[in-house]
Amino acid sequence: MKKVITFGTFDLFHIGHLNILKRAAELGDYLIVGVSTDKLNYDKKGRNPIYCQNSRAEIIQALKFVDEVFFEESLEKKRDYILKYKADILVMGNDWEGRFDEFQDVCEVGYLQRTPSISTTEIIEIIKE
Ligand code: C2G
């Protein structure tokens, strides 16, 4: 069984999130998603997500092609998560191109094309206007 792992905040869940998760699932037999905690998001982006981590994780877990969800507490723990969940391939959007190549010694690493013209940040800006 080929296990795929991916990570993200998935705040204000949108079609770009759906597309990447669906395509990640197609690369293997079992999809594991690390959902960034509120704290990790705050540390990374300087603001809290709109949806709290439990809501974001519940939404991801409800998708039919997602098999397992856990909370990603630290960017530095990626290697531990890959090993813990016995992932065969790490998949991320190409905004992260090259950033996770260091894990090629423990799994395959792939980057998928981002869905154009949509992002959580843009949605927030549009609503604000
Ligand atoms: N994504 C995409 N197309 C978009 C927007 C996002 O394919 N239009 C992808 C991103 O490339 C990422 C995933 O959706 O692979 C989740 O995106 P974010 O929620 O923005 O996650 P991010 O903040 O990049 O967190 O450890 C890594 C981080 O936790 C990733």
Side-chain angles (χ1 to χ4, degrees):
M1 183 168 72
K2 189 168 178 182
K3 287 186 166 185
V4 184
I5 195 166
T6 190
F7 297 86
T9 310
F10 304 105
D11 193 22
L12 299 181
F13 192 82
H14 60 65
I15 194 71
H17 296 145
L18 189 74
N19 285 340
I20 196 156
L21 292 172
K22 208 193 278 180
R23 285 182 297 153
E26 284 165 3
L27 295 176
D29 310 298
Y30 191 87
L31 178 63
I32 304 155
V33 184
V35 172
S36 303
T37 59
D38 294 338
K39 184 176 181 305
L40 172 56
N41 205 258
Y42 190 87
D43 293 346
K44 209 167 54 170
K45 296 181 182 167
R47 64 165 178 83
N48 278 315
I50 306 291
Y51 297 162
C52 73
Q53 63 190 49
N54 288 341
S55 299
R56 290 183 286 110
E58 263 193 64
I59 291 168
I60 302 300
Q61 184 68 79
L63 299 170
K64 64 182 176 196
F65 40 82
V66 171
D67 297 288
E68 199 170 340
V69 171
F70 68 93
F71 285 119
E72 177 193 32
E73 289 179 338
S74 158
L75 294 177
E76 280 70 52
K77 284 191 185 163
K78 243 183 209 79
R79 179 177 293 274
D80 299 342
Y81 294 132
I82 293 167
L83 295 174
K84 178 176 174 191
Y85 290 95
K86 298 186 167 42
D88 299 292
I89 173 165
L90 165 64
V91 175
M92 291 299 295
N94 62 352
D95 47 326
W96 293 92
E97 187 81 51
R99 296 274 296 276
F100 301 121
D101 288 355
E102 62 184 289
F103 304 123
Q104 277 166 346
D105 58 334
V106 285
C107 69
E108 224 180 295
V109 178
Y111 304 94
L112 299 177
Q113 196 74 38
R114 269 172 74 92
T115 302
S117 314
I118 186 150
S119 73
T120 301
T121 312
E122 229 173 282
I123 295 169
I124 293 172
E125 287 308 313
I126 290 167
I127 293 171
K128 268 194 201 159
E129 282 169 25

